[in-house]
Every structure is written in structure tokens, then in C-alpha cells.
């Protein structure tokens, strides 16, 4: 789209970004509010927050919140149990921004959003009074012109470029036809061609071979600084080191000192334990993701052998979950590997194995699993998942239990974030998942006893 200025990350793009902003020194940095996407939670911002901290942005100026019902309605104008409208999402964000401003005394905030969260930000700035309170916006993988724009195809969905919501959001503003609200500095980050939700062909929306009428440049906006991050997938437009570096330079006018994460010797971990359905405590209420607490669930944390996942002694932390959903705070070691065991009525006893946590975090969210019908014949089940990106068989180096071909992951394309390994034996043993240098080991547990294992990647 010729009217949307594009920068492909490289020396010229970095110079252009450096000219975009003048930000106060670190002790006067404004608060940043991170806005998650469809069906997601604040936990996805964990590594991004760590990178901001590692470059000197004060921890007490970084905020990420869980929208209670994070999934969009099928039709934005029609009430749907367990789903949120664009108006509800905007109202939630508006309340959180006010909360942050009251807590910090700041006059303005920075908003950084991923995917659906980007359109929530745009709606708040344009229609919810946010322009008076927001200085900068960074949008990663934002379906700014929809995921599809096909006449007659779910035009009421907020993800349709033909929806009333999208049409008013993209209406020209000012004589140059800008699509962004003036008075705020805007950055969009997109993939060159690897974002599943910015594809001209409809495979990822269940219409293979049919045009979506949305191009790879769909996330770009007239009037914004538009940056292309080659090779990244949909989630990596927000959560990758490259996305962080572009955002930092846009906000500060300088390159970050580092894109890796500076470790702390001792870490304090906390987060929320959330569930599924309309009511996290009612198995009959559905299996879709929510951000509601599983009250009464029990969580135990074990230190484990990083090579095998075997426990090193008794639990080092345990808690019964209350109405706020918080499972911590737990003080641990940044060099240690941990297993999180979750037990709750209506869920499998879920054993979550994670890589070591290099820094403290208050958004280590966990969720118990319910087995799918396709899993019922397994003797043991291991779920290998990458919350902050997708598996791409052509791009990534990955293995699960020694096999390079991950179950359920296609031979090309970046659109699947979870692989389910169904084992024919319930004899307990170690299973290792590997992804681009990150290794996670966990033990199998007998599926017939109501247990399953999750190997959750951090990067």
C-alpha cells in the first residue's frame, strides 16, 4: 500500500526510528501499559518486560493486565457468553490506564499492544478519550485492516475489514488521510510475509485457496511509522528481541544496550492461576480460555533436575488459590528449573515444566488443562507449547522426544503454537522439548490417573 510508509529493519530504518522520539531519562520514564491479544493474558509480556527492565526502565513503571474474557465475539454487535465486545475491551483498557495514572501520578502513558490488543488501543485513543492520556503507541501484529475483508464473510466480526468497527477505526483523519489519531506517536511492527493473520490467501482462516483481500502489509497504518521485521511470526511481532529493539528505539531515540535479559540471583515469582469456560470452577461451562481464577485450586512448586525433570525433594512452595487467583509470591533462584503442579476439580492434574526464570516476574500465569477427546486413548500426554510465538518447521530448530517433526505442526508455515505428544506407555520417563536452543525436560505422568505434562517454552 503506497501510502503507508514502510521501514524494513536495517541501518536506514534504525536511523529513522532514532529520529522519532525524545524520551526522558530513566528515572522519569512514563508508565508503559501492555495490552494482550485475543484469548491471551498478561503473561505473554513477561520477556518483553524483562528486556525493558534489563535496559533500565523501572519495574514499577511497567504494567500488564488480564482482560477477564479475552476472546472476541463472533459478531461484535451480538452478546455472546464468555466473549468480549470491542466496547468492553476499550472500557477495560480505559479503566486500567486510569488505575496506572492514579498509582504513578503520570500525566501520560505509553501503550504497547499485540494483535487484537492493538485495535483495543486504537479504539481507546480514537473513541475513548485516550488521546489526552497517551503519548506513544506501539502495535505488533495488529490486524489493522482486518484478517479478512470478504463481502458476506462474517462481516460483523471485529476481525473483518468490512465490519462497522473496522470501517470507523480506519476512517481518514485529516487532509493526508491518516488512519491514526493525531497528537500521539504511532509505531506498527509487522512481518514481511510470515504473519498468519496478514495473509492474502485464506488457509489460516479456514478458506484455503481463497483470497482474504488483506495483504502482508495489513498491519501497517497511514500516518504511523511502519516497520517490517523479516521472518517473524504473528506473536513475534510483539514478543521477539527484534520487536523489543524496534520499540525501544522508537520510544527513546536510541538503540537498547541489550536485547538479552540481565539475570538476577534471586527471583520473586507470582502470577494468576486461571481456567476455562464461563466459570473456571464449572467443567460444564466450556473449554475456551478465560482469565478468571480457579478458586480452591492447589498449586505446588518443585525444583527439578534440568536434564530430566525429576524432582529434587519436596515442594518448595504450595498455595490454595483464593478469589484473586494469585499463586505467589514465591522466592526462588534464577538458575533453578521448576515444575508447577496444579490440581483442581474438573481438570487434569497438570505438571507444567519451565526453563529457569532469569528475573522476577508478577505475570507468571498458569492454567490447568482438560484433556481433549482425541487424547483419551493415550497412556501419557505431553503438551509442548510456545506462548510467545509459533513453531515453523522450515525456520526453527526443534525437537520433541528426539523427533524433529512435531505432532500437529505442518511442514511449512508459522501458525501452530502447541504440539501434543500421545505416548503408548504410562511408564514414567523423561521427555525433552527443544526449540532454537531452549531445552525443557519434564516427566511423563499416567494419563489414566488424571495427569498430564506441559513443557512450556519461555522464548
Amino acid at each position: 500500500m503506497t501510502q503507508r510508509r514502510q521501514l524494513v529493519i536495517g541501518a536506514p530504518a534504525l536511523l529513522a526510528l532514532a529520529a522519532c522520539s525524545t524520551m526522558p531519562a530513566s528515572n522519569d520514564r512514563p508508565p508503559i501499559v501492555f495490552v494482550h491479544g485475543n484469548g491471551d493474558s498478561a503473561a505473554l509480556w513477561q520477556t518483553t518486560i524483562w528486556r525493558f527492565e534489563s535496559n533500565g526502565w523501572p519495574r514499577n513503571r511497567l504494567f500488564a493486565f488480564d482482560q477477564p474474557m479475552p476472546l472476541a465475539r463472533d459478531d461484535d454487535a451480538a452478546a455472546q457468553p464468555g466473549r468480549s465486545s470491542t466496547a468492553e475491551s476499550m472500557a477495560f483498557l480505559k479503566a486500567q490506564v486510569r488505575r496506572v495514572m492514579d498509582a504513578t501520578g503520570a500525566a501520560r502513558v505509553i501503550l504497547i499492544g499485540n494483535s487484537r490488543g492493538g485495535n483495543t488501543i486504537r479504539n481507546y485513543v480514537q473513541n475513548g478519550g485516550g488521546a489526552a492520556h497517551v503519548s506513544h503507541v506501539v502495535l505488533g501484529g495488529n490486524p489493522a485492516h482486518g484478517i479478512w475483508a470478504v463481502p458476506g464473510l462474517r462481516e460483523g466480526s471485529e476481525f473483518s475489514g468490512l465490519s462497522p468497527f473496522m470501517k470507523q477505526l480506519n476512517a481518514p483523519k485529516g487532509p493526508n488521510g491518516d488512519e491514526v489519531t493525531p497528537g500521539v506517536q504511532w509505531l506498527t511492527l509487522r512481518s514481511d510475509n510470515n504473519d498468519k493473520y496478514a495473509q492474502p490467501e485464506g488457509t489460516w482462516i479456514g478458506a484455503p485457496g481463497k483470497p482474504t483481500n488483506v495483504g502482508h502489509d495489513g498491519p501497517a497504518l497511514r500516518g504511523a511509522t511502519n516497520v517490517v521485521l523479516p521472518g517473524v511470526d504473528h506473536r513475534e511481532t510483539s514478543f521477539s528481541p527484534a520487536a523489543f529493539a524496534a520499540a525501544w528505539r522508537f520510544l527513546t531515540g536510541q538503540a537498547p544496550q541489550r536485547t538479552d535479559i540481565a539475570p538476577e540471583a534471586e527471583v520473586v515469582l507470582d502470577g494468576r492461576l486461571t481456567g476455562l469456560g464461563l466459570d473456571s470452577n464449572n467443567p460444564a461451562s466450556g473449554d475456551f480460555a478465560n482469565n478468571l481464577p480457579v478458586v480452591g485450586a492447589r498449586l505446588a512448586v518443585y525444583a527439578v533436575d534440568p536434564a530430566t525433570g525429576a524432582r529434587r525433594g519436596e515442594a518448595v512452595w504450595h498455595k490454595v488459590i483464593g478469589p484473586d487467583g494469585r499463586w505467589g509470591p514465591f522466592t526462588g533462584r534464577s538458575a533453578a528449573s521448576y515444575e508447577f503442579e496444579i490440581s483442581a476439580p474438573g481438570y487434569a492434574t497438570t505438571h507444567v515444566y519451565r526453563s529457569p526464570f532469569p528475573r522476577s516476574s508478577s505475570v507468571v500465569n498458569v492454567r490447568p488443562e482438560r484433556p481433549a477427546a482425541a487424547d483419551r486413548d493415550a497412556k501419557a500426554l505431553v503438551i509442548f507449547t510456545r506462548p510467545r510465538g509459533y513453531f515453523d518447521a522450515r525456520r526453527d530448530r526443534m525437537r520433541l522426544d528426539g523427533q524433529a517433526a512435531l505432532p500437529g505442526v505442518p511442514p511449512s508455515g508459522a501458525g501452530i503454537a502447541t504440539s501434543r505428544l500421545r505416548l503408548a506407555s504410562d511408564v514414567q520417563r523423561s521427555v525433552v522439548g527443544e526449540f532454537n536452543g531452549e531445552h525443557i525436560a519434564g516427566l511423563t505422568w499416567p494419563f489414566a490417573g488424571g495427569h498430564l505434562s506441559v513443557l512450556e517454552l519461555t522464548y
Side-chain angles (χ1 to χ4, degrees):
M1 298 185 181
T2 58
Q3 296 183 34
R4 295 182 209 150
R5 184 166 56 97
Q6 308 285 341
L7 298 174
V8 180
I9 280 296
L14 295 178
L15 288 173
L17 279 179
C20 288
S21 179
T22 55
M23 187 62 59
S26 60
N27 57 332
D28 295 321
R29 293 273 163 83
I32 300 178
V33 178
F34 298 93
V35 185
H36 65 70
N38 192 48
D40 293 331
S41 79
L44 269 65
W45 294 108
Q46 180 185 79
T47 54
T48 304
I49 290 171
W50 282 342
R51 290 186 175 101
F52 271 96
E53 291 176 358
S54 296
N55 284 275
W57 210 286
R59 178 173 289 166
N60 63 2
R61 310 288 274 186
L62 301 167
F63 300 87
F65 301 100
D66 298 318
Q67 185 174 353
M69 289 296 182
L71 286 167
R73 293 175 175 179
D74 293 332
D75 184 331
D76 193 43
Q80 185 176 7
R83 304 293 185 105
S84 53
S85 67
T86 56
E88 290 167 336
S89 293
M90 181 180 72
F92 175 78
L93 175 57
K94 185 174 183 176
Q96 301 313 315
V97 169
R98 173 48 57 190
R99 174 181 169 186
V100 167
M101 293 174 66
D102 289 345
T104 63
R108 287 180 178 265
V109 302
I110 295 166
L111 299 180
I112 299 181
N114 172 249
S115 195
R116 183 196 187 201
N119 280 338
T120 298
I121 290 172
R122 295 179 66 205
N123 195 20
Y124 165 61
V125 172
Q126 180 171 317
N127 303 310
H133 307 299
V134 178
S135 63
H136 298 70
V137 169
V138 178
L139 307 176
N142 172 220
H145 297 88
I147 299 173
W148 65 88
V150 180
L153 177 63
R154 303 196 297 276
E155 289 186 35
S157 167
E158 67 179 80
F159 299 123
S160 169
L162 303 179
S163 66
F165 170 73
M166 198 66 72
K167 286 181 177 179
Q168 62 83 27
L169 209 57
N170 291 328
K173 302 158 186 66
N176 296 324
D178 287 352
E179 296 169 307
V180 295
T181 302
V184 176
Q185 295 191 54
W186 297 82
L187 171 68
T188 76
L189 303 174
R190 73 167 178 91
S191 178
D192 50 355
N193 59 19
N194 205 28
D195 184 337
K196 67 183 290 187
Y197 296 126
Q199 294 293 327
E201 186 270 337
T203 292
W204 291 114
I205 63 169
K210 296 182 179 180
T212 64
N213 299 326
V214 174
H216 298 308
D217 62 349
L221 287 165
R222 286 190 297 272
T225 299
N226 299 300
V227 171
V228 179
L229 304 176
V232 301
D233 63 44
H234 177 66
R235 291 180 178 173
E236 291 170 342
T237 59
S238 290
F239 309 123
S240 65
F244 163 73
W248 180 275
R249 188 178 285 272
F250 175 74
L251 295 175
T252 69
Q254 300 175 343
Q257 292 183 344
R258 60 194 304 167
T259 58
D260 64 340
I261 296 164
E264 300 173 313
E266 186 176 82
V267 296
V268 178
L269 305 176
D270 197 0
R272 302 179 68 245
L273 195 158
T274 60
L276 302 168
L278 286 171
D279 178 351
S280 290
N281 290 90
N282 180 3
S285 68
D287 284 334
F288 54 86
N290 68 40
N291 285 321
L292 305 176
V294 186
V295 178
R298 296 179 178 273
L299 180 135
V301 179
Y302 295 86
V304 299
D305 183 334
T308 65
R311 293 174 178 175
R312 290 177 163 170
E314 299 298 315
V316 293
W317 177 257
H318 55 83
K319 187 173 182 179
V320 177
I321 305 305
D324 64 357
R326 308 301 299 187
W327 64 262
F330 158 65
T331 300
R333 295 183 298 109
S334 62
S337 296
Y338 291 108
E339 170 201 345
F340 298 81
E341 181 188 62
I342 310 165
S343 55
Y347 297 89
T349 299
T350 303
H351 304 263
V352 182
Y353 297 87
R354 293 285 302 268
S355 294
F357 294 84
R359 297 184 65 84
S360 298
S361 177
S362 62
V363 291
V364 185
N365 290 0
V366 292
R367 175 181 282 125
E369 297 276 345
R370 291 196 183 113
D375 299 329
R376 67 167 59 98
D377 294 332
K379 296 296 184 180
L381 176 64
V382 179
I383 300 173
F384 188 36
T385 184
R386 186 181 179 225
R388 296 167 190 86
Y390 293 92
F391 297 121
D392 188 333
R394 290 185 176 179
R395 179 193 64 181
D396 301 318
R397 293 176 291 103
M398 52 192 185
R399 299 178 73 84
L400 178 59
D401 202 29
Q403 302 299 313
L406 272 57
V409 174
S412 64
I416 301 296
T418 296
S419 175
R420 303 172 80 88
L421 177 66
R422 302 172 181 91
L423 298 174
S425 171
D426 59 6
V427 175
Q428 190 171 58
R429 65 178 179 86
S430 177
V431 171
V432 176
E434 306 171 52
F435 180 85
N436 289 345
E438 183 177 1
H439 295 65
I440 305 176
L443 295 181
T444 63
W445 296 82
F447 193 55
H451 294 254
L452 59 81
S453 304
V454 176
L455 308 182
E456 181 177 325
L457 291 160
T458 297
Y459 305 100

